[in-house]
Structures are given as C-alpha cells and as structure tokens.
Amino acid sequence: MFKKLDIIDDINKNENKLLRSISKEVTFPLSKEDKEIIEHIIKHLTYSQIEEYEKKYDLRPGMGLAFPQLGILKRIIVIVDEYEEGKFENYVVINPEIVSNSKEMIAADAGEGCLSVNREIEGHVPRFARVTVEGYDIDGNKIKIRAREELSIAFQHEIDHLNGILFYDRINKDKPFYSDYEIRLI
Ligand code: NI
C-alpha cells in the first residue's frame, strides 16, 4: 500500500536547523528502519514522476531525496531517474562522495527545484557536467557511479543536502542566468 510521505510537514518544521546541518557518516549494517525509509522514498519518488499517481496522491514531482530532508542527519541519498519514458533506474548511495568531476559546467535550463523548498526560485545553478560518485549500496558494498547531464545535477544536488547546502545557495545573485555558451566557460 502506498502511503504519502509527509515531506512538506517535516520540512517546514526543520528547514532552518536540520537542512542546514552536516549529516553523519553511516555505519553498516543499515538498520531495518533505514532500509524501510529508503524503500518508501523510492516508491514516493517513482510515483511522483508518474502522472496518474502524481495526481491521485497529490505528489510534487521529484527525482531525488536525501535523508536530512526527512530530518534524519545520515549520509544517504536516493535518486529515481526516468532514463526513458516510463523506465526508472534507482540509485541509493550511502556515504556518497564525488571523487572526480568534469571541468565543463552545465545548468538545468529551468533552474532547479527541491522538495524542501516550497517556492519557485529562479536562476541557473552551475553544476559539473559529469561526476563520478563513490559510496556504498544498502548492503555495504562499495559502488561507483558515473553520471552526466541531468543525473549528474541530481547527484550534486542531493550530496549538497548532506552538507547543509540548498540549490539556491549556488545561484549567482549578480548573474542568475547564463547562456549555454557562458556556462561552459565558468
Ligand atoms: Ni533538494
């Protein structure tokens, strides 16, 4: 049975303190509770990207969530990437780290959104076009993921959450928008 996560409620309560905190490294084995939360997040993010369920459950679409967004200061991120129409790939990374990145920068055309930020904030968020992320899967196995374009942005956005950073912190107040050409020169 699908039960909606009360993400917005949690966030309104916690935005100032917990979302701005540095989350702690996770040790293995993961608790049963953490595994359940991960499953719940995957379901939530997947459903939020399927129009029928998005409407039915009144979900705000999102492809990623980090544990601190639920008020839990653990270094766990979940991304559900619709890599093809109706096809989803799940990424759960514990203690994720960006171990290398492209010089080339990109930004999502329409800016970024966040389930923790309950309003539209305009502006381009400069991100690395490609990143390699290392971390652990839920069983504690070491994993390495190479991400590019939208998925690369998602990883950087979620990892920022573990360090108390929100996307709008990275918008240049003096120059909030870049052309495709300009952003690649940052
Ligand atoms: Ni976010």
Side-chain angles (χ1 to χ4, degrees), residues 64-66 69 113-117 157-158 161 165-167:
L65 198 78
Q69 293 182 268
C114 178
L115 294 174
S116 293
V117 179
H157 179 119
E158 298 313 326
H161 276 302
I165 299 166
L166 295 173
F167 72 93

Side-chain angles (χ1 to χ4, degrees), residues 36-154:
E36 281 172 8
I37 293 169
I38 289 167
E39 283 308 311
H40 203 134
I41 294 172
I42 289 171
K43 207 165 187 182
H44 184 103
L45 293 175
T46 308
Y47 276 33
S48 83
Q49 295 180 75
I50 299 171
E51 211 184 341
E52 184 195 341
Y53 294 118
E54 176 205 326
K55 289 203 178 105
K56 187 172 171 190
Y57 296 110
D58 189 27
L59 304 174
R60 191 171 154 209
M63 70 182 287
L65 198 78
F67 262 46
Q69 293 182 268
L70 299 175
I72 306 165
L73 294 181
K74 294 182 179 178
R75 303 186 79 81
I76 301 176
I77 62 169
V78 179
I79 293 169
V80 176
D81 178 35
E82 187 175 21
Y83 61 95
E84 222 177 84
E85 177 83 36
K87 289 187 181 168
F88 298 93
E89 173 93 39
N90 305 331
Y91 300 90
V92 177
V93 191
I94 324 282
N95 301 334
E97 250 184 277
I98 295 171
V99 294
S100 70
N101 59 263
S102 61
K103 271 197 182 153
E104 186 190 336
M105 303 295 283
I106 52 172
D109 283 343
E112 291 181 25
C114 178
L115 294 174
S116 293
V117 179
N118 228 343
R119 59 193 183 280
E120 295 267 319
I121 296 178
E122 292 201 332
H124 286 146
V125 184
R127 302 286 193 186
F128 303 122
R130 295 173 297 283
V131 290
T132 302
V133 176
E134 284 186 0
Y136 298 85
D137 68 13
I138 56 168
D139 297 315
N141 302 307
K142 188 126 194 153
I143 50 172
K144 184 189 257 195
I145 296 153
R146 289 190 180 82
R148 45 182 305 176
E149 304 295 326
E150 195 190 5
L151 187 59
S152 173
I153 291 172

